[in-house]
Amino acid sequence: MPTRAHWFGLAAALMLAGVPCRAAETPIIAIVGATVIHPDRDLPSAVAPDSTVIIAGRRIESIGPAGSTAVPAGATRIDGKGKWVVPGLIDSHVHFFQSGNLYTRPDVADFNAWMPYAKEVERNKRRLAATFKVWLASGVTSVVDIGGPFWNFEMRDAALKSPAAPRVAVAGPLLSMVDRVKLDLGDPPIIKIASADEARALVRRELERRPDYIKVWFIHRQGDDLAAQEAIVKAAGDAAHAAGVRLAVHATELVVAKASLRAGADFLVHSVDDAAVDEEFLALAKKNRALYCPTLFVTMGYRYALSNTWQPTEAERRLADPQILAAMSDLQRIPREMLPERVVKAMSQPTPPKPSAIALQNLRKAWDAGIPVVMGTDAGNIGTLHGPSVFREMEIMTQAGLSPLQVLRSATSNGSKAMGMERDIGTLAPGKLADLVILDTDPLADVTNLSKIHRVIKDGKLLAPAARASAGN
Ligand SMILES: [Zn+2]
């Protein structure tokens, strides 16, 4: 009788001989002869030409030179010649309760007279499977939904169950300094908190659903007591941390961002855009090992959409949800008397929006200081479409002076930290989950080449190239 030790010895010997142990029925995919990009490395080692990637089941089994990496018998073979392979993209800031169309934020632009918000919310729930597909078709295999109604937890369950959905990390309702009554139809995405006790109580309710983050909407207006607000954020953060959950904070002014970091923020979900970040900010961010997500396009998206100057990019034409694309030109058919005042004004004098110069500078400073920058779109907000808006965001990030490789790092290996999955995703290496994108053009020549997608593989499954959503409901 062979002993257990004997079998272990045999397995070890096979491993040493380069013979992987796997069940015979495990599906194998081989991408042969591609240029593999390792965004976690610097040039030149970030680029591995003429490489073969072997995927067994859900995971990457091996990566090596095409000449010396054997393709197992029975593997599904993908010709990688003239193709590039990158890790699946990660958008670290999205909201599934919002669609990106005009009707999705009545607290900002109230179109209820034309389209009741309840219908929009219902649409977004019904359309969830299609929205998931739009992300995958855009090469995005993981997203962080950084705040929404309690329904968000059902959304995460639905994503987990579906092979045609990205991986999802999630926060529940935002603990907010301000009310947003127009968004409250019984399961509000934003809940006003007036004291530390109220903060702890809401965190407790959310913790029952095992969130990946507790999110605070730290709105500081003139006359507000910053120290009192900071104490509320700290109460939320302490309660989250006690349960091993990270604290994400919306804080767009320098003093508010610093207060958030003092209160324990692990993730700043937007740029600081009112002043240049200083040494104190950078030191606080480093101490917390905080992630920094610039979200440079989202305010531009609002301005384009609400002035009727929003135009789809080439990638959006190909990859966005056709239903949402069609709705983006609705301002042309809504009777004028049903338009919100601010929209009438914006339409009469449209000014082309530009990225915030301060936000661009701060992105560069944060990057140079070694703060982990994560790419995020804030998709779902008006004008920022689920899926292909990542290509707008990444293009703007290069305007801060980041190289395509650095931008790709923010959208992959850095993004895996926002997902809390740095051991499993974000890089291409044996043992990692097989989330990757095969591209027709070189993403390091131009970051928008990341939209030239040949195939997407998520969790070891090759997705049909036409897996994008159909126009129906
Ligand atoms: Zn957001």
Side-chain angles (χ1 to χ4, degrees), residues 93 95 146 215 270 378 381:
H93 190 151
H95 300 281
I146 202 67
K215 163 83 173 286
H270 293 291
D378 213 351
N381 278 285

